[in-house]
Amino acid sequence: RVLFRSISMSRYKLKTNIKKRLLIVIGCFSIIIGIVFGYRIIILEKLEQELKSFPKDEEIDDNYRENISSIDNADDNHVEDDPDNIDVLTIGNSDMYSAFNPLQLWHEHGITSFVAAGPMQNMKLSYYMLKKILTVQKPKLIIIETANFFEKREEIDRQGYKYTAMKYSYSLFKKTDEWQNIKKESYLNDKSLRNRIENQKGYYFNQKVESNSKDFSYMKMTKKREQFPAITQMYLPKIMSLIKEYDISVLFVCFPTATTGSYARHNMVSDYAKENGIPFLDFNVDQYGTGFDWHTDSRDGGNHLNYSGALKMTKYLGEYLSQNYNFVDKRDNSLFHEWNDAYQKLMKRVK
């Protein structure tokens, strides 16, 4: 009996201890649940308050657009005040660098520009030139001289297209990391090239006069079209795609040239320009009141223009750009004093 009572007492104490521990565990669990739910209620109340104060979708969109706009404007202002950035990039062959004078455009309108052009330049070289330049420049307008649309020859250095493209535009890369390699190139030993590319922004200055006595007789009316060569058919679309990608305006220009100008070529370019919504100025079919004269404005009998011819072409183009595009006149901006210095230096050469 004593043994039975002892066993009974032990069982009773064990049950009692288990009940106490269960109560403790349940109590602790209840406390934890209470804390968790209480904390959750507090968090939800705060979130609800924050959501009420959070802007609506329309307000977010408006703020987003405002912020993006301010960023874009800040970037535009930065470019406008950057003396190393050009407003207008012109691309073409020797017709371009003989007929367009960036320093005159600057002096008359405060627009910065550069002539990226080589002799007998075809559209493949123009493409590589443009593609490379757009990695460091943000022009608002690209002027393309259309005579090189019909160029089939490949007048490039043995190092290839990319090398030749850099050769005729290298001064645009002076403030970039690439300059360390560029300044070692052998073409920098060519004083005439350096003067054209660096001092005259790509323009070739020449005052020699050799008239073209046949005037514009080479422009015989026809409805024919001279088809673009294969190299142009391949690379002109690539050029236009690049221009569209960078959201740049484009203008086609054909300067007077008795050696390559024709109505068949004019018609072909005119068709392409109309199809793509591109303005096209052809000084072979209309001199636009410039007073151009084949007896005084060519340096080699009708192939290229001289300084007198370039003076008239650039004057008209400057007025056209000012009337049709939104350029900022930077002549009074002290950051661009180098442009004034370069113009005065060129004027000392004019006889």
Side-chain angles (χ1 to χ4, degrees), residues 207-335:
Q207 288 186 281
K208 181 181 177 182
V209 178
E210 185 179 331
S211 68
N212 168 30
S213 59
K214 296 181 179 180
D215 206 52
F216 285 96
S217 60
Y218 59 92
M219 292 298 290
K220 294 178 171 52
M221 284 289 293
T222 181
K223 293 183 179 181
K224 294 181 180 179
R225 270 79 174 149
E226 181 176 337
Q227 297 302 307
F228 293 147
I231 197 167
T232 297
Q233 293 181 37
M234 178 177 293
Y235 283 96
L236 180 55
K238 291 176 180 287
I239 288 174
M240 299 312 300
S241 179
L242 266 180
I243 291 173
K244 184 177 181 181
E245 177 185 345
Y246 284 88
D247 193 25
I248 304 171
S249 298
V250 61
L251 170 66
F252 287 171
V253 173
C254 190
F255 295 113
T257 172
T259 55
T260 60
S262 74
Y263 250 104
R265 290 187 172 189
H266 167 80
N267 292 338
M268 185 65 187
V269 176
S270 183
D271 289 347
Y272 183 89
K274 289 176 182 177
E275 289 171 5
N276 292 275
I278 300 169
F280 175 37
L281 302 174
D282 191 342
F283 291 93
N284 293 283
V285 298
D286 190 340
Q287 286 69 63
Y288 305 101
T290 59
F292 178 82
D293 187 346
W294 270 125
H295 295 87
T296 59
D297 297 336
S298 174
R299 61 179 164 90
D300 50 14
N303 191 7
H304 300 97
L305 304 192
N306 57 18
Y307 176 71
S308 175
L311 197 68
K312 296 172 182 178
M313 296 296 106
T314 306
K315 180 176 177 58
Y316 178 82
L317 281 174
E319 294 170 352
Y320 180 90
L321 298 187
S322 295
Q323 293 171 6
N324 292 279
Y325 302 91
N326 185 27
F327 291 108
V328 175
D329 185 344
K330 294 184 276 288
R331 283 175 289 184
D332 293 330
N333 190 328
S334 60
L335 294 174

Side-chain angles (χ1 to χ4, degrees), residues 171-225:
S171 65
L172 299 176
F173 297 83
K174 276 193 171 183
K175 299 296 179 65
T176 70
D177 294 336
E178 292 188 70
W179 182 247
Q180 295 304 314
N181 294 323
I182 294 172
K183 66 182 183 180
K184 301 174 185 177
E185 297 293 354
S186 59
Y187 53 71
L188 292 186
N189 296 323
D190 186 338
K191 292 183 179 180
S192 177
L193 177 68
R194 292 193 66 172
N195 187 54
R196 178 167 81 85
I197 300 299
E198 296 181 36
N199 299 331
Q200 293 161 197
K201 313 299 181 183
Y203 166 63
Y204 177 72
F205 174 80
N206 191 306
Q207 288 186 281
K208 181 181 177 182
V209 178
E210 185 179 331
S211 68
N212 168 30
S213 59
K214 296 181 179 180
D215 206 52
F216 285 96
S217 60
Y218 59 92
M219 292 298 290
K220 294 178 171 52
M221 284 289 293
T222 181
K223 293 183 179 181
K224 294 181 180 179
R225 270 79 174 149

Side-chain angles (χ1 to χ4, degrees), residues 60-71:
I60 293 174
D61 289 340
D62 291 339
N63 291 335
Y64 174 78
R65 284 189 288 269
E66 184 177 347
N67 290 336
I68 292 299
S69 177
S70 64
I71 291 171

Side-chain angles (χ1 to χ4, degrees), residues 1-13:
R1 289 181 180 178
V2 173
L3 180 59
F4 177 77
R5 286 180 181 175
S6 176
I7 293 171
S8 298
M9 286 297 294
S10 297
R11 288 179 177 175
Y12 174 77
K13 289 179 180 181

